Amino acid sequence: TALQEVVANAMSPMEYGLQAIEQRLKPNEDEFWLEAVNHLAEAASEMELDRYLFRLAPLYPGTTDVVAAVKALRKQVLAIRRQRKQGADPDMPEF
């Protein structure tokens, strides 16, 4: 049925966002990686994050070692998550 086809072809918010980035920017542009890493930081789980890290890592500029690229991207994602967490700390005073 049509509904089954729509459901079968549905994509996750993570996939949708990455495809939107890939349509606007190229992997050789810094802005691509800034947006991609920020989007990856929103992954709902480590498994989801890994899935997309391994998909994007071969595109990382100058990559000859995919595992090293995954590690570099993961480090960037974790740094963004830490920044967001610190910024959203409810114990921080509001000015």
Side-chain angles (χ1 to χ4, degrees):
T1 68
L3 178 59
Q4 288 172 324
E5 188 174 326
V6 168
V7 169
N9 294 325
M11 64 178 79
S12 70
M14 180 62 59
E15 180 67 31
Y16 180 82
L18 288 175
Q19 282 189 13
I21 293 166
E22 289 171 322
Q23 288 175 0
R24 286 184 299 105
L25 302 165
K26 301 292 178 224
N28 62 346
E29 298 175 271
D30 289 341
E31 188 69 21
F32 175 93
W33 294 103
L34 289 172
E35 288 194 30
V37 168
N38 270 288
H39 189 64
L40 289 171
E42 297 173 15
S45 68
E46 290 305 306
M47 195 161 61
E48 181 181 43
L49 176 61
D50 283 347
R51 174 181 176 193
Y52 293 104
L53 285 175
F54 279 95
R55 187 183 123 208
L56 291 175
L59 305 175
Y60 201 69
T63 298
T64 55
D65 181 353
V66 173
V67 173
V70 167
K71 286 180 181 179
L73 290 168
R74 183 184 311 279
K75 185 176 179 181
Q76 293 174 38
V77 167
L78 295 177
I80 289 168
R81 285 180 172 175
R82 273 193 302 276
Q83 287 176 341
R84 289 179 182 174
K85 193 173 185 178
Q86 289 172 352
D89 187 346
D91 295 331
M92 294 289 287
E94 292 184 17
F95 297 106

